[in-house]
Amino acid sequence: MSSTPPPQALTDGTPPATTESTPDAGAFGWLRALGPRGRRAFAGAFGGYALDSYDYFTLPLSMVALSAYFGLNSGQTGLFTTVTLVVSAVGGALAGVLADRVGRVKALMVTVITYAVFTVACGFAPNYETLLVFRALQGLGFGGEWAVGAILVAEYASARNRGRTLGAIQSSWAVGWGLAVIVYTLVFSVAGDDLAWRIMFWTGALPALLVIWLRRSVHDAPEAAAAREQSAEKGSFTAIFKPGLLRITLFAGLLSTGVQGGYYTLATWVPTYLKSERDLSVVGTGGYLTFLISGAFIGYLTGGYLTDKLGRRRNIWLFALLSALCILAYANIPSGANTLLLVLGFPLGFCMSAIFSGFGSYLSELYPTAVRGTGQGFTYNTGRAVGAVFPTTVGFLADSWGVGGALVFGAIGYGIAALALLGLPETRGKELA
């Protein structure tokens, strides 16, 4: 960490004005202010989440090929997403408790190994049922990685720049997504569909290389580790449901449910929508997704900046509204207007990602150090599990409504997120130590 302590926030939670003499001034001052150990933690969390994203998207991108190979209907393919997200709630809760009890870095390595092993296993699945089980087990690691990595970096970051620092971590999701699209385009262009989907899953072994580096180079923030060790309730699951934290846990879980219900509806079904209802080729689908992913990457970075400037709650409110409007517009573009579909992909990706940028800082600030991993892991991943209802609903309605028509359910999720904020406080400027 930087040897210069960050200025204290004002009493209303507003960070003090930045001057050029402060160590975190400038476009990348937030990164310099982390210090050498903090930057290594940032790199580890960034890489872990990017590869988490890569492994997740091997399924949605291969969905059409899987459906043909196993003879699946839309409801059955939607169930892949459901089991991944439901089991991720268990994985996230366990990883959060583990992070509070044995440390952030050790828990991070466990989550990365878990999602890598079971992603590769998916490539060897002989039937639909086995693939469903392997995908569910992949969710154990997938669920815990983000929460643990976000806390690791949040505890190094200053209150002034925590939003943009964690927003940059969130942007790695778009990096992993983009890498998955590139590999998908190459693999499906060279190999037949019956083999290509298996190759996609086998490439999920990449994260194992990250674990070696994490073990040697990354450490927990010293002050946070010391504070955690001194608490008698570290990693206590029941502590987040006690009167002082019960309201936070309930509304933070509802917030996560709404945002992730909307997001995973799009992440799961847009590739299928482009290929099956817009009749785009593999290369054409990759081109359209490039606009969506580019918007997502810039949205993460912009949202991180705005969450520090506007506050956590205002940033989420703003992009919940804009995301809902973008979904409605995207799903109702007239047939034949594919150029408009291409252009609208950028603001859609921007808005649905910018809303996530404040989550890493916001959830970290809502909980004390001793149960930060437990609280963040539970609320974020419970939101994933309950939010899985949305893409599943789209899957079962797709045969009668069409995928495009059913996508409107994603907008409902963002409405739920906006309402959940009414029960949560603003935390901008809060020190974590």
Side-chain angles (χ1 to χ4, degrees), residues 113-135:
I113 291 171
T114 301
Y115 73 66
V117 167
F118 287 108
T119 298
V120 173
C122 287
F124 293 98
N127 52 50
Y128 169 71
E129 292 76 16
T130 303
L131 181 58
L132 197 63
V133 171
F134 285 155
R135 188 63 179 181

Side-chain angles (χ1 to χ4, degrees), residues 177 291-293 295-297 299-300 344-354:
W177 188 4
F291 271 74
L292 188 68
I293 295 167
F297 180 76
Y300 283 128
L344 189 58
F346 186 90
L348 177 66
F350 182 94
C351 293
M352 71 188 229
S353 299

Side-chain angles (χ1 to χ4, degrees), residues 12-332:
D12 63 354
T14 303
T18 302
T19 65
E20 291 302 316
S21 62
T22 59
D24 53 358
F28 292 97
W30 57 269
L31 186 59
R32 291 193 300 272
L34 290 173
R37 291 180 61 161
R39 287 193 290 272
R40 288 196 294 271
F42 177 90
F46 189 98
Y49 197 44
L51 293 170
D52 193 15
S53 170
Y54 178 89
D55 278 12
Y56 174 80
F57 278 107
T58 53
L59 176 64
L61 290 168
S62 304
M63 197 87 86
V64 173
L66 284 170
S67 298
Y69 186 87
F70 291 118
L72 309 177
N73 58 38
S74 296
Q76 288 174 307
T77 54
L79 193 58
F80 280 126
T81 298
T82 300
V83 298
T84 303
L85 300 184
V86 169
V87 176
S88 77
V90 178
L94 291 176
V97 172
L98 191 67
D100 286 334
R101 293 187 178 181
V102 306
R104 313 323 191 192
V105 175
K106 290 180 181 178
L108 185 62
M109 290 191 291
V110 170
T111 63
V112 172
I113 291 171
T114 301
Y115 73 66
V117 167
F118 287 108
T119 298
V120 173
C122 287
F124 293 98
N127 52 50
Y128 169 71
E129 292 76 16
T130 303
L131 181 58
L132 197 63
V133 171
F134 285 155
R135 188 63 179 181
L137 293 173
Q138 188 260 5
L140 288 173
F142 168 71
E145 196 286 333
W146 176 84
V148 177
I151 294 166
L152 172 66
V153 177
E155 291 176 341
Y156 273 106
S158 68
R160 183 200 306 277
N161 291 323
R162 190 174 296 119
R164 69 197 73 184
T165 304
L166 272 295
I169 293 291
Q170 291 276 178
S171 73
S172 66
W173 181 265
V175 173
W177 188 4
L179 178 61
V181 170
I182 292 170
V183 174
Y184 156 80
T185 303
L186 293 173
V187 170
F188 276 82
S189 296
V190 174
D193 284 7
D194 289 354
L195 177 61
W197 69 265
R198 293 188 184 276
I199 295 174
M200 283 295 295
F201 284 120
W202 291 336
T203 62
L206 288 171
L209 299 175
L210 176 67
V211 174
I212 300 173
W213 184 80
L214 285 171
R215 178 69 181 85
R216 294 170 59 90
S217 305
V218 183
H219 305 278
D220 290 1
E223 294 90 339
R228 187 177 67 248
E229 290 301 321
Q230 293 169 6
S231 174
E233 287 193 318
K234 65 176 182 178
S236 170
F237 189 72
T238 58
I240 66 173
F241 293 99
K242 290 183 178 180
L245 290 174
L246 176 61
R247 180 186 179 91
I248 295 294
T249 298
L250 293 178
F251 280 97
L254 187 61
L255 174 66
S256 295
T257 297
V259 172
Q260 297 192 84
Y263 179 85
Y264 283 107
T265 295
L266 295 169
T268 302
W269 288 107
V270 164
T272 300
Y273 172 63
L274 293 175
K275 195 168 183 179
S276 63
E277 295 193 9
R278 292 291 176 167
D279 298 319
L280 297 178
S281 65
V282 168
V283 175
T285 298
Y288 276 68
L289 290 176
T290 297
F291 271 74
L292 188 68
I293 295 167
S294 298
F297 180 76
I298 297 174
Y300 283 128
L301 297 178
T302 304
Y305 176 81
L306 290 177
T307 199
D308 281 333
K309 292 297 181 182
L310 301 178
R312 306 342 183 190
R313 297 167 81 239
R314 288 179 181 174
N315 184 72
I316 295 173
W317 260 322
L318 172 64
F319 287 107
L321 173 61
L322 294 178
S323 296
L325 292 176
C326 283
I327 289 177
L328 296 176
Y330 197 79
N332 288 284

Side-chain angles (χ1 to χ4, degrees), residues 95 139 178 239 321 365 415 422:
L321 173 61
E365 291 160 355
L422 298 175

